Amino acid sequence: MQTQGEEKKEVEIQVTPKPISSIDPKKVGDLSNANFPMDAEGRVYHLGVKAGEVANRILSVGDSGRAALLATFFDDPSKTFTRASTRGFVIHTGRRKGVPMTIIATGMGIPMIDFVVRECRAIVEGPMVIARFGTCGTPQTDIPIGSICVASKGSICATRKYDAFLESAQKEGARKALDYYALSTIFPADATLSELITAKLEKSVRPEIIHRGLNITGDSFYSSQGRVTTHFEDYNETLLDEVLEIHPDVASLEMETFHLRGTITASAATIVLAQRRSGAFLDHATTRQLERDGGCAVLDALAEYPLLEGETMSGDCVWNQ
Amino acid sequence: MQTQGEEKKEVEIQVTPKPISSIDPKKVGDLSNANFPMDAEGRVYHLGVKAGEVANRILSVGDSGRAALLATFFDDPSKTFTRASTRGFVIHTGRRKGVPMTIIATGMGIPMIDFVVRECRAIVEGPMVIARFGTCGTPQTDIPIGSICVASKGSICATRKYDAFLESAQKEGARKALDYYALSTIFPADATLSELITAKLEKSVRPEIIHRGLNITGDSFYSSQGRVTTHFEDYNETLLDEVLEIHPDVASLEMETFHLRGTITASAATIVLAQRRSGAFLDHATTRQLERDGGCAVLDALAEYPLLEGETMSGDCVWNQ
């Protein structure tokens, strides 16, 4: 879906994230408070950043390459603040269309996104909004790879029932996949943010590739999303079918969105990399194009989101330097 | 606990991990098989490595700085194979005392360790053994910070009951923390590996700082480990007390060990960074010293673990170059 020339251009605008060694280990050492570890300068332990380094509006992505690519679309990329923590997080803060914004590469899974929500909330003053722009698989045959799903109908969490696995050796007889996996009730997305993201995506990429739907966040990529592997007995061969019987409108399967919840205003859009019924996987060039165009659309949605009183725009913050 | 001179020496032996940009994005692009994504060269999607790049014996650590530090203790560090993936994993492969070995910086949490287990298992031929050398908090007042806990009594998983939170707005009255968090049954550790790790640690660091005990793996650092935060209602104020009533021998609280289970031979040792009752947090210099001395002990335990027929020692592998 890209010409050779376009692909070259895409490669040119890639930036090299600062290496992991850019953190001075002394800066994250000598912490206090085992309940919520922070260093003497107020730097949170796992993300390695402090107040003034993370903006009120946050884009969360799983892939550090995607984060670095999207940071090149800040107003003045040369002024971007970048920090990589030793726990796998990379933080880029700058401005998009004048609005302070942070892009965080989170790694994957609920525990990693929990660090992002908790540790950002601890150092961001005033209201906070998080949009996720990730990747997903889809169980729907009419949603092709290269689509983008907006989780506007909310999200469900699918978790492994550990005790069912520990006990399974003692049990006999055919059992359902959902004896081994739990589905939570639906947690809604923020409607305003979902609408903004959808509108921006429809303008930035073709509207026909945007799907609104229900998302499922699995507590793993493999077992709780119904991937069958040869080395492990996961009892998940029929999981997708059983889930679709209960929730026929599941559009996307991924690993973080459900946890962006509670007191955090949040929504999510995800590029469909994997068609789980046909086994198709999106090519790299199209993925990068959608990461760039879709990512800029989500940044613009974040920039336009109406935050209220108390948003930290001025002061001694990295986006004012 | 360190003199200035020792600290300087420690800083000198730190290596700079290859920057994230060391991965050629084209090398992980264009994958096939949505069920288990691998590229044309057999590279697994999230770890970015292929057969011959990961040894049968694996040390899993959470922190990329710790992984880089321990890789300097390979027989010939200049020959170490290092790859950082864009999903937060850093892989170092070399030999320790002649034995092929891989150190992986995993990031944090069950989903991240699941990628390590699944994707390594897919590319490692023959038997596979994983030891974890991480950090933890302890709820026991008689285990001070700076101790090392070996999870020789096995591990329990503590997970957030999402639906209890979604429903809590409708419910009235005082409830227990364990209405909001589930505890699994105990999953045992590998006894041979636990004993080897304990023996090596007792020789490498002082025996009196080694504690054998039960481990709890939480599905988050904050809520399911009983950390109380001001911004979120986690109903976890009494969680540690309630857990200790049921399991008085819990020595360590962390985020990965329970998931190293099933068909993988595994055990874990964790440095006690946080004393959860007093709130004390271990200083940076002592942490680094324990990471180095304890990490070498765990590497030696892995090197001596008796693997059987089928271990990949020869052939076109990065540890033979």
Side-chain angles (χ1 to χ4, degrees):
Chain A
M1 293 176 69
Q2 271 188 320
T3 68
Q4 191 62 27
E6 277 171 337
E7 194 173 330
K8 265 189 194 150
K9 193 177 155 209
E10 178 251 321
V11 170
E12 274 161 29
I13 58 163
Q14 278 187 44
V15 290
T16 304
K18 290 184 189 171
I20 292 169
S21 59
S22 63
I23 320 154
D24 177 357
K26 297 292 169 214
K27 288 279 172 66
V28 292
D30 292 329
L31 292 103
S32 57
N33 188 2
N35 187 62
F36 203 103
M38 287 174 117
D39 72 7
E41 294 178 34
R43 210 165 255 112
V44 286
Y45 185 54
H46 304 88
L47 267 61
V49 283
K50 62 181 179 179
E53 295 176 348
V54 173
N56 302 70
R57 297 156 194 258
I58 298 168
L59 178 70
S60 151
V61 306
D63 184 299
S64 57
R66 190 181 319 139
L69 173 70
L70 292 177
T72 65
F73 296 100
F74 279 159
D75 294 344
D76 183 352
S78 72
K79 285 189 180 169
T80 300
F81 166 87
T82 296
R83 169 154 290 148
S85 90
T86 58
R87 296 303 183 111
F89 301 100
V90 190
I91 293 104
H92 305 268
T93 298
R95 286 175 176 269
R96 168 88 175 167
K97 300 190 172 172
V99 181
M101 207 159 290
T102 293
I103 302 170
I104 305 187
T106 63
M108 294 165 292
I110 290 168
M112 293 293 274
I113 204 77
D114 188 65
F115 280 112
V116 171
V117 173
R118 304 289 182 134
E119 298 197 356
C120 286
R121 184 64 282 179
I123 58 171
V124 170
E125 278 176 46
M128 194 170 116
V129 58
I130 301 184
R132 180 170 132 66
F133 185 54
T135 54
C136 70
T138 186
Q140 302 289 356
T141 50
D142 61 346
I143 300 182
I145 54 172
S147 305
I148 296 181
C149 295
V150 180
S152 57
K153 294 185 181 172
S155 189
I156 289 170
C157 196
T159 49
R160 198 171 161 105
K161 295 180 187 172
Y162 286 112
D163 279 3
F165 284 86
L166 298 176
E167 293 155 7
S168 66
Q170 287 93 50
K171 301 221 169 167
E172 290 290 335
R175 301 177 72 189
K176 290 185 304 179
L178 284 173
D179 291 335
Y180 292 92
Y181 299 89
L183 293 182
S184 78
T185 51
I186 299 173
F187 193 81
D190 182 75
T192 307
L193 186 58
S194 298
E195 281 314 302
L196 265 171
I197 288 173
T198 307
K200 293 287 178 189
L201 282 170
E202 286 180 343
K203 273 182 73 176
S204 175
V205 297
R206 288 168 299 130
E208 61 269 28
I209 71 168
I210 310 301
H211 297 263
R212 297 167 195 229
L214 184 64
N215 175 71
I216 293 192
T217 294
D219 65 355
S220 81
F221 182 80
Y222 294 102
S223 72
S224 57
Q225 291 185 39
R227 288 182 166 87
V228 179
T229 62
T230 50
H231 293 286
F232 300 88
E233 180 50 273
D234 291 314
Y235 305 104
N236 64 350
E237 290 82 354
T238 57
L239 183 59
L240 289 188
D241 291 329
E242 292 177 34
V243 167
L244 287 172
E245 256 180 56
I246 302 169
H247 298 290
D249 52 349
V250 170
S252 52
L253 305 165
E254 47 77 83
M255 298 178 65
E256 294 85 13
T257 295
F258 179 84
H259 201 71
L260 290 172
R261 53 195 282 284
T263 61
I264 301 296
T265 301
S267 186
T270 43
I271 302 167
V272 179
L273 288 188
Q275 172 41 256
R276 297 294 309 288
R277 300 305 193 164
S278 69
F281 203 93
L282 193 63
D283 66 282
H284 178 78
T286 309
T287 304
R288 287 300 259 184
Q289 184 181 318
L290 287 171
E291 283 182 315
R292 186 178 48 209
D293 298 343
C296 286
V298 181
L299 283 175
D300 289 345
L302 269 177
E304 284 187 23
Y305 188 84
L307 276 195
L308 301 168
E309 213 182 334
E311 181 169 357
T312 314
M313 300 284 282
S314 60
D316 182 23
C317 301
V318 292
W319 56 85
N320 289 328
Q321 286 161 14
Chain B
M1 290 175 74
Q2 272 189 319
T3 67
Q4 191 60 28
E6 277 173 336
E7 194 173 329
K8 266 191 194 147
K9 190 178 156 209
E10 179 251 319
V11 171
E12 275 161 27
I13 59 164
Q14 279 188 44
V15 290
T16 304
K18 290 182 190 173
I20 292 167
S21 58
S22 63
I23 320 154
D24 177 358
K26 296 293 168 214
K27 287 281 171 67
V28 291
D30 291 330
L31 293 104
S32 56
N33 187 2
N35 188 61
F36 203 101
M38 287 174 116
D39 72 7
E41 295 177 33
R43 212 166 253 110
V44 286
Y45 185 55
H46 304 87
L47 267 62
V49 284
K50 62 181 180 179
E53 295 176 347
V54 173
N56 302 72
R57 296 157 195 257
I58 297 168
L59 178 70
S60 151
V61 304
D63 183 298
S64 57
R66 191 182 317 139
L69 174 69
L70 292 177
T72 65
F73 296 100
F74 280 158
D75 294 344
D76 183 352
S78 72
K79 286 190 179 167
T80 300
F81 166 87
T82 296
R83 168 154 292 147
S85 90
T86 58
R87 297 303 184 111
F89 301 100
V90 190
I91 293 105
H92 305 269
T93 299
R95 285 174 176 268
R96 169 88 176 167
K97 299 187 173 173
V99 181
M101 206 159 292
T102 293
I103 301 169
I104 305 187
T106 62
M108 295 165 292
I110 290 169
M112 292 293 274
I113 203 78
D114 189 66
F115 280 112
V116 172
V117 173
R118 303 290 181 135
E119 297 196 356
C120 287
R121 184 63 283 179
I123 57 172
V124 170
E125 278 177 47
M128 194 170 114
V129 57
I130 301 184
R132 179 168 132 66
F133 185 52
T135 54
C136 70
T138 186
Q140 303 289 356
T141 49
D142 61 344
I143 301 181
I145 54 172
S147 305
I148 295 181
C149 295
V150 181
S152 57
K153 293 184 181 172
S155 190
I156 289 170
C157 197
T159 50
R160 196 171 162 106
K161 295 179 187 171
Y162 286 111
D163 279 1
F165 284 86
L166 297 176
E167 293 156 6
S168 65
Q170 287 93 51
K171 299 221 171 167
E172 290 290 333
R175 300 177 73 189
K176 289 185 304 176
L178 284 173
D179 291 334
Y180 293 92
Y181 299 89
L183 293 182
S184 78
T185 52
I186 298 172
F187 193 83
D190 182 75
T192 307
L193 185 58
S194 298
E195 281 314 302
L196 265 170
I197 289 173
T198 307
K200 293 288 178 190
L201 282 171
E202 286 180 343
K203 273 181 72 175
S204 175
V205 297
R206 288 168 299 130
E208 61 270 28
I209 72 168
I210 309 301
H211 298 262
R212 299 166 195 229
L214 183 64
N215 175 71
I216 294 193
T217 294
D219 65 355
S220 81
F221 182 79
Y222 294 101
S223 72
S224 57
Q225 291 185 38
R227 287 182 166 89
V228 179
T229 61
T230 50
H231 294 286
F232 300 88
E233 181 50 273
D234 291 315
Y235 305 102
N236 63 351
E237 290 82 354
T238 58
L239 182 60
L240 290 187
D241 292 329
E242 292 177 35
V243 167
L244 287 172
E245 256 180 56
I246 303 168
H247 299 288
D249 52 348
V250 170
S252 52
L253 305 165
E254 46 77 84
M255 299 177 66
E256 295 85 13
T257 295
F258 179 84
H259 201 73
L260 290 172
R261 52 194 283 284
T263 61
I264 301 296
T265 301
S267 187
T270 44
I271 301 167
V272 178
L273 288 189
Q275 171 42 254
R276 298 293 309 288
R277 300 305 193 164
S278 69
F281 202 94
L282 193 64
D283 66 282
H284 179 79
T286 309
T287 304
R288 288 300 259 183
Q289 185 181 320
L290 288 171
E291 283 182 314
R292 185 178 51 207
D293 299 343
C296 287
V298 181
L299 284 175
D300 289 345
L302 269 177
E304 285 187 22
Y305 189 85
L307 277 194
L308 301 169
E309 213 181 335
E311 181 170 356
T312 315
M313 300 285 280
S314 61
D316 182 23
C317 301
V318 292
W319 56 84
N320 291 328
Q321 286 160 14

